[in-house]
Amino acid sequence: MVLRRDVLLWMGACAVPWVTRAHAQGSSLPLESPGLEHLGITVPDPEASARFYGRIFDPQLFQERDPPPRFYVRLGTGYLAFGGNKTSTPIVDHFCALVENYRPAELRKSLQSAGVSLGAGALGMATDPDALRLQFLAVPGGLARTIIPASRMSQDDAVVQAIGPDHVMLRVSNLERSVEHYRKIFGKEVSRTTKPARAWFGVARTRLGLEAAASGEKPGIHHMCVRVAGFHKKRMTEGLTRAGAQILPSDEKDVLRFRDLNGLVMELRED
């Protein structure tokens, strides 16, 4: 799902004479990034999904100014972007990393030289061995000028006060193969675990997690975790339940996991 905002950001980045910090081989890899920013989500009813998440994170919804209808919910410094139509299968379509001194042509050349597959066109996203897509946007990111306020759902407080993304977790078919791929983009992983088998990459204050998919499970972008202020598990559980979320088990005391109306998973973590 490539958004109108991406085109504007790309054009703006090309027009500015950035001065970049060169790496040893003149490559822009690994990325200099302030963190992961948003998820692009495809669902049968984008507005219904936005309204669901609006009750949880921010009752002021946003939408694209022009068709097709796309909706947005802010997560502090990040956001969720919803697109799709009645025939769409619910899926997290892509995740996004912000890039300091973003120069699309230079970055694209570096990615190709490193053997990273890219989608067609100047804005083609990087794809990993499981065809999971990673988008790049210029700092400071945020909602673009083509996005306008939509309806405010209510005067009620959101269930949580979102600070920003904590991590994005990918379920992959071959952990070592995927680790090798993301090393090219983010540098060496910062930690590994064996039970469960996971690798973690540090992306400024955010993290990218890779986890081996279960037998028979399709690889995918499994969830985003959002840092929230005033974490109170019981109160938040009650608020999520009222919003229509299905609470999922979690062994971590400072994490609350839930499933949305389309069956997609989200986590909340104490800031």
Side-chain angles (χ1 to χ4, degrees), residues 10-206:
W10 178 80
M11 291 173 63
C14 289
V16 178
W18 294 106
V19 178
T20 62
R21 182 175 65 188
H23 292 261
Q25 287 80 32
S27 170
S28 54
L29 298 178
L31 291 181
E32 184 182 354
S33 171
L36 305 178
E37 187 209 38
H38 74 262
L39 292 184
I41 302 175
T42 300
V43 289
D45 190 335
E47 183 174 5
S49 288
R51 295 182 71 84
F52 169 85
Y53 280 103
R55 289 190 286 273
I56 297 170
F57 293 113
D58 185 352
Q60 176 59 65
L61 303 185
F62 293 82
Q63 68 180 66
E64 285 286 349
R65 182 175 55 210
D66 301 317
R70 295 190 180 98
F71 293 85
Y72 302 82
V73 175
R74 294 180 297 188
L75 311 172
T77 57
Y79 62 91
L80 301 174
F82 301 94
N85 54 53
K86 293 180 180 179
T87 63
S88 297
T89 299
I91 188 173
V92 182
D93 175 81
H94 69 269
F95 65 108
C96 176
L98 298 179
V99 181
E100 298 280 4
N101 301 321
Y102 181 47
R103 300 177 69 173
E106 178 182 309
L107 178 56
R108 186 176 183 86
K109 182 178 179 180
S110 296
L111 289 166
Q112 290 174 328
S113 296
V116 175
S117 298
L118 296 167
L123 296 173
M125 298 185 198
T127 58
D128 74 4
D130 292 305
L132 307 182
R133 304 200 302 164
L134 169 59
Q135 182 182 28
F136 305 109
L137 290 178
V139 174
L143 299 178
R145 295 178 181 177
T146 60
I147 298 169
I148 60 175
S151 60
R152 181 176 179 89
M153 296 174 53
S154 71
Q155 289 296 314
D156 296 337
D157 292 335
V159 174
V160 300
Q161 181 183 346
I163 303 300
D166 177 82
H167 69 260
V168 172
M169 176 62 71
L170 311 184
R171 294 274 177 87
V172 299
S173 60
N174 184 307
L175 184 59
E176 295 308 319
R177 183 178 63 179
S178 293
V179 166
E180 182 180 353
H181 170 85
Y182 284 103
R183 279 176 180 165
K184 298 173 183 177
I185 299 173
F186 296 114
K188 184 174 174 55
E189 65 274 24
V190 296
S191 66
R192 299 286 293 262
T193 61
T194 55
K195 293 183 179 181
R198 287 177 178 166
W200 289 97
F201 291 85
V203 190
R205 285 199 68 188
T206 63

Side-chain angles (χ1 to χ4, degrees), residues 240-261:
L240 289 168
T241 301
R242 286 195 299 272
Q246 176 191 357
I247 306 300
L248 300 175
S250 172
D251 295 332
E252 300 175 79
K253 66 178 182 179
D254 63 346
V255 170
L256 182 55
R257 182 179 296 125
F258 66 91
R259 198 180 300 278
D260 71 10
L261 73 170

